Every structure is written in structure tokens, then in C-alpha cells.
Amino acid sequence: MAVLQQLLARKAVGEMAESGDAHGVQLRRTLGPWGLTALGIGAVIGGGIFVITGQAAAEHAGPAVLLSFVIAAVVCSFTALCYAEFATLIPMSGSSYSYAYATLGEFVAWFIGWNMVLEYGVSASAVAVSWTGYFRSLVEHLGFHLPAALTNAPIAFVDKHLIVTGALLNLPAVVLVLLLTWLCYVGIRESSGVNSAIVMLKVALIIIVILAGWHYVKPELWHPFIPPAVGPEKYGWGGIMRAATIVFFAYIGFEATSTAAQEAKNPQRDLPISTLASLAICTVLYVAMAAVLTGLIPFVKLGTAEPVVTAVAAHPQLNWLRWLVEVGALLGLGSVVLVMVIAQPRIFMMMGADGMLPPVFSKLHPRYRTPHINTLITGAGIALLAAVFPLDVLGDLVSMGTLLAFVAVCSGVLILRYTRPDLPRPFRVPWAPLICTLGVLGCIGLLCYENWYNWTLMGLWTLLGFAIYFGYGFRHSKLRGAAESPRVQAVRE
């Protein structure tokens, strides 16, 4: 019973304070509402538009992939409202991890924090691999050729079996990750400035592609809008829902704004605005791009590694757009990796400050005021995964980890409404019982469309996380010294 009480120990919301390192160095507050919104857009717009849209349409939903995007967006909107309330209530850089620690206890907080490694770290590797595909396309468009041995993963999954491809490593993805890691090392202001510039460019390029492509859309290609089902996950409503679980990956990152809470100038005001604004802007762009792609060519032809290029190339009048698509994809995918490299170390920083990870993860650079060692460790890990694994190995696993984190956030808001109704809430989720419940049910509903193979991988990932927690985090948690720490309160149930 004593161990169970320790596992359920929670941080007191009113006593959660800003985190610095052992020398009192704190993160620098430099981000306003535009910088935070750009952070969210930078994390979201990338693989969803340039890769996943075509694959989801060709293999699962057809033109009805538009509905898949809307379904995923609705689920995310419920969660976004909950993130907004938590961000004003607990303006900490730990995001879902910190929120779970305050409401659901230490054990669940670790579980959520561990899954956030999938959401940010592993997904950054997957996006970096996608970046290589468009980089190779652009280089070949310029008349050069990159050796396959240096642009592909050395292993691949074929029919659920590992095979050796003969390649050495995905070198472009490694170089991209390491360059962005260096940028994040030197400061959030520099990283945010680069990200904001990239966001403006890639959104402008995407709008140009949508407007130019719209003139060549053939409405008859949208009929039938929902193709007849030919299997449980291929077309029909089953295919739409399966596609929704796939395109959900495209929305991962809208809540990345909450990981920069301690670097926001006015987090109580700006975090809700930036979280909801980034989700709304990205949804409009996703649906518009999906409509154009499925209207340019038959949806069955979109199942390529570069569906936007495939659709544009089918119309000679749009050949001039290929350059914009390739440049836009490189910018879009690159900015996603940048934001993920910004976000993941800040999750680790909070976990290190709580004793759940070694102290090195919570150290801040005295000059740059960034979690510098943590950033280097994270960047090296992301680069290693990008060098070795192909895009499709952990894509669904990333979505599953994120959905579980979203369930915790929606549940946490509702729990705090009943356990701490007295807390000041600058932003409140409207109709909280309904919105939070719909958020939980929506995430669980999408999880139900994952297959057994992905659940097996999720189980193995969870067991690895529990081994680390019980091997280190449980024994070094700061909550064990609650009596000496006035900031932390263990609530026993």
C-alpha cells in the first residue's frame, strides 16, 4: 500500500514554480504570441501535407481523406482547449508531463513523459527521414545524383519483418538534425527567429500551390467521395477512420507551444491564443491541400513518397510549381524537426528537475540559458534513429503515444475542476464535463483503429519505460524528500 501511495503522489499545483538548474540559471523569456503560434505551426505543417495526405487517400479514404482530417482536427480541438486551460494554470515547460504530475500522480506522469519521447523525439527522426526524400528529389532536379547507400536506412520493415537494405545510413537526415541541434543549443531566441521565418515562407508557398492547383482541379475525381469499402481499413467509413488515425500524426506538435511556457513573455495570455490559433490555421491548410491533391489526379495514384510532386507533375502547366513544392517541403519538414528538437529537451529538463532522470538533464547553459547538454543528448539520439530506421517503422507508434498523452490532459482538467475548484484559471474550458469527456472518448476511439502489431510495439516501448522508471526515477524522485521541500506536496489517496 505504501508503494502504491508513492506511485500516486502528486505535486501541489499552487506550489509548482519555475525551474532553474542547480546554479539558479533560468530559461530566458523571449517569446510573444506570434513566436509561440509560429512554434505550433512549425511543428505541425510538414509530413502531413507533403507525405501523409497522399498515402492516407490512396490506401484508406480516397477523396474522403478530407473527412479524416476534420475528424482528427475535432479530437485535437477538444484537447487544445484542455491544453490551453492547463497552460494558464501550470505555465511550466513540461507540458503533458507536468499536468499529469499535478493531477494523476507520479507513475502516470512518468508514463506520459515517456510517451512524449515518441511524440517529439522519435517523430523528429521520422520527419527527418521524410526530409531526405524531398532533398534527394531537389538534388536530382538540379542534375546531380546522391548514392542510395547514403540516403536510405540500412534496415526496413517488409511484411512485418526486418530486412537489411544494403544501405549505410541516411546521411542527409543526420546532417539536418545535427545542424538544427546546434541552433537549439545556442538559444531559443535564435531558434524561434529561424522557425518564424521558415513558417512564413512555407505557409506562403503552400497557399501558392493550393491557389495554382485549384484551377486544374477536376470535380469528377471527387466522385464517389467515399469509395465503396473493399476491406475493414480500405475505403468506406472504416477506411476514413483508419486514415484519421494516420493523419492524426500530421497534427502532432500543435501543443508544442506549452513546452516553451517558461520562455513565454506572458504565458497566461499567449499560450491559449497560440495553441488554438496554430491548430485552426493548420487544419484549414490541410483540408485545402487534400482537396487539391485528390482533385488533380485519381486518388489511387497519390500513394508515393512525394504525393504533391506526383500530383503537380501530372499537369504540364504546373511544372513550375515543382520547385516551390520541393523547397516548401524542405522548409516545412525542416521546421518540424527544429521545433521537436526544441521541445523534447524541455520535457527531459522538467523530468530531470523532478529527479526522474539524472541531474545532467536539468542543467542550463550559463550564457545561452538553454538545456545544452540535454539538447546534445536529444539531438544525437534523434540523428541515430534517423540514420538507421525508415519512415514507416514508428509512425503509428508515435500517434499512439500522443493519443495517450492527450487522454491524460483531458482527464486532468476534469479532475482538477473537482479537486481544486478554487484555483485561478485565466482560461477555462467551456462546458468542461462535455468537452473533456469528448476529448477522452475521441482519443480512445482513434486508438481502437490501431492494429495488434502497433499495440505490441507500444507494449514493448512501455515496458522499457517502466524499467527505467523503477530502475532510476522511482528511487531518485524529489517527492521522496517532500518533507524537506516546500515546493512539493505528496497527496496520498
Side-chain angles (χ1 to χ4, degrees), residues 10 31 97 167 169 171 230 248 266 291 381 456 462 465:
R10 301 192 301 264
L31 299 178
Y97 163 77
L169 78 164
L171 184 60
V230 296
F248 178 83
N266 188 349
T456 301
T462 301

Side-chain angles (χ1 to χ4, degrees), residues 77-150:
S77 66
F78 296 144
T79 310
L81 291 170
C82 295
Y83 265 101
E85 177 166 324
F86 259 136
T88 61
L89 188 63
I90 309 174
M92 305 291 290
S93 291
S95 188
S96 307
Y97 163 77
S98 294
Y99 308 157
Y101 216 151
T103 57
L104 302 173
E106 179 180 286
F107 183 71
V108 177
W110 169 265
F111 176 68
I112 297 303
W114 182 243
N115 283 329
M116 292 182 74
V117 177
L118 294 175
E119 181 179 358
Y120 294 121
V122 177
S123 66
S125 300
V127 175
V129 172
S130 300
W131 186 90
T132 296
Y134 277 94
F135 177 73
R136 185 172 54 232
S137 174
L138 179 61
V139 169
E140 291 176 353
H141 198 177
L142 294 173
F144 300 98
H145 177 72
L146 297 176
L150 296 178

